[in-house]
Amino acid sequence: MRVSKEAAAASRARIVAAASRLLRERGIEATSIADVMAAAGLTHGGFYRHFGSKDDLVAAALGAAFAGHAERFAERRAAQGAQDALRAYVEEYLSPEHVARPDRGCPVAALGAEAGRGSAEVCAAFARGVEETIARFVSAAPPGTDAAAARAAAIRRLATVVGAVIVARGVGPGALGEEVLAACAETRDRAPTP
């Protein structure tokens, strides 16, 4: 039986959404194609109608995860302005909820170390997402900020919040993780500095 283009696109979207969630929750190596297909409500045999390889799927799932974060930032920016949107993004990023739910969180904190050991395709998809995140942070720099200084500040801010979440997840629930998040929370209010 032939599947319509619309049905095939819907199936692919379900697979990507399931993969995006599972990869962030479990990691790349610990997530199998069978796991993803089951989570999408599809049979394992249909995978290769949509993707050439697991790396192809991982790249698509990374793109979807980064796109979700970009969309939320854009909505906030439209409603609140760039600087307030960035503060809200960082506040949400450094929340206990984000630490507890990597499946819904940032792919940088969830998959950074694994993506760096992945294929060129996976690394490229991850690098695109990181570049887009940095660009969003730069776009929130105060007017008149030097472009190089804004980019350096954006990279520092991203590295700080990602590192905080990784450490907080690593130490588990409790006072130390909360202390790490609180210590890094000042990045939401700090203006870019050279």
Side-chain angles (χ1 to χ4, degrees):
M1 171 178 17
R2 290 189 69 118
V3 177
S4 72
K5 288 183 181 182
E6 294 82 14
S11 293
R12 180 181 169 91
R14 284 190 1 231
I15 295 166
V16 170
S20 179
R21 181 180 54 77
L22 286 176
L23 290 167
R24 287 179 283 168
E25 178 184 331
R26 300 177 183 177
I28 296 169
E29 289 301 314
T31 303
S32 70
I33 292 171
D35 294 335
V36 171
M37 295 302 283
L42 299 167
T43 63
H44 184 214
F47 175 81
Y48 291 101
R49 283 194 293 268
H50 302 282
F51 301 95
S53 66
K54 182 178 177 182
D55 285 345
D56 187 22
L57 171 63
V58 171
L62 283 169
F66 280 112
H69 279 264
E71 185 176 309
R72 283 201 313 278
F73 185 84
E75 289 169 359
R76 284 185 178 139
R77 183 184 179 120
Q80 303 171 316
Q83 292 176 0
D84 286 342
L86 180 58
R87 277 192 284 279
Y89 181 91
V90 171
E91 187 173 314
E92 180 182 284
Y93 203 104
L94 295 174
S95 70
E97 294 79 20
H98 182 223
V99 171
R101 295 299 309 259
D103 60 320
R104 295 183 183 175
C106 176
V108 180
L111 298 169
E114 264 192 290
R117 292 188 295 268
S119 69
E121 181 179 13
V122 170
C123 287
F126 190 83
R128 279 190 302 276
V130 169
E131 276 292 349
E132 291 165 2
T133 302
I134 291 168
R136 280 193 303 282
F137 285 15
V138 168
S139 75
T145 304
D146 174 74
R151 182 171 170 83
I155 291 168
R156 281 193 301 275
R157 180 173 278 140
L158 178 62
T160 299
V161 297
V162 168
V165 169
I166 290 170
V167 172
R169 284 178 179 157
V171 300
L176 180 55
E178 292 169 13
E179 185 179 9
V180 169
L181 296 176
C184 295
E186 69 186 52
T187 62
R188 77 175 161 251
D189 299 319
R190 200 177 318 145
T193 55

